[in-house]
């Protein structure tokens, strides 16, 4: 019984878990008051950098710098369009336009946003 309590005790202590707040932003939010965002408890942000193989968020740099300057951890994301080109082609485009990562402690790894209407198109060819 003593052994069981020694095993169970550490797990009982892990009742609180982190619940960081994060947001995603894109060109639909051209002007962001990052101070207000931070004051509302947001700790990280994913910022849309690219879509497909030709669309770049014209506000990406200002959004990325704004988040950085206020102390919000940030990273870029790519909105995938499997209906127009390969994943490799889109990944190359993303990396060239905001999808890079650095081990600086404030840059999140690149993320992929792929939504249902494009998944249906993508998988319909393989059915």
């Amino acid at each position: 019984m003593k052994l069981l309590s020694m095993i169970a005790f550490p797990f009982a202590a892990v009742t609180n878990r982190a619940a960081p707040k994060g947001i995603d932003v894109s060109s639909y939010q051209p002007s962001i008051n990052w101070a207000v965002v931070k004051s509302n408890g947001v700790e990280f942000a994913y910022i849309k950098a690219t879509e497909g193989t030709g669309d770049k968020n014209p506000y990406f740099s200002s959004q990325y710098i704004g988040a950085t300057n206020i102390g919000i951890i940030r990273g870029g994301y790519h909105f995938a369009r499997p209906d127009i080109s390969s994943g490799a082609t889109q990944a190359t485009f993303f990396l060239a336009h905001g999808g890079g990562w650095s081990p600086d402690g404030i840059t999140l790894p690149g993320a992929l946003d792929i939504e249902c209407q494009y998944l249906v198109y993508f998988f319909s060819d393989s059915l």
Side-chain angles (χ1 to χ4, degrees), residues 51 79-83 113-124:
E51 179 174 333
F79 188 94
R81 293 288 310 273
D83 59 321
D113 180 356
I114 185 165
E115 300 192 12
C116 187
Q117 72 265 23
Y118 300 112
L119 284 174
V120 170
Y121 174 86
F122 180 72
F123 287 113
S124 66

Side-chain angles (χ1 to χ4, degrees), residues 35-93:
V36 170
V37 170
K38 177 122 179 156
S39 72
N40 282 308
V42 171
E43 299 176 62
F44 71 93
Y46 267 105
I47 302 162
K48 181 180 177 183
T50 55
E51 179 174 333
T53 57
D55 184 36
K56 297 182 285 186
N57 175 0
Y59 308 107
F60 177 77
S61 291
S62 64
Q63 291 169 335
Y64 199 84
I65 291 166
T68 303
N69 288 344
I70 203 73
I72 294 175
I73 297 170
R74 73 290 181 271
Y77 77 87
H78 174 75
F79 188 94
R81 293 288 310 273
D83 59 321
I84 62 171
S85 71
S86 72
T89 300
Q90 292 186 50
T92 299
F93 182 70

Side-chain angles (χ1 to χ4, degrees), residues 15 24 27 29 33 37 46 63 90-91 93 99 102 109 121 125-126:
T15 56
D24 77 287
S27 59
Q29 298 86 29
N33 185 331
V37 170
Y46 267 105
Q63 291 169 335
Q90 292 186 50
F93 182 70
S102 58
Y121 174 86
D125 288 343
S126 62

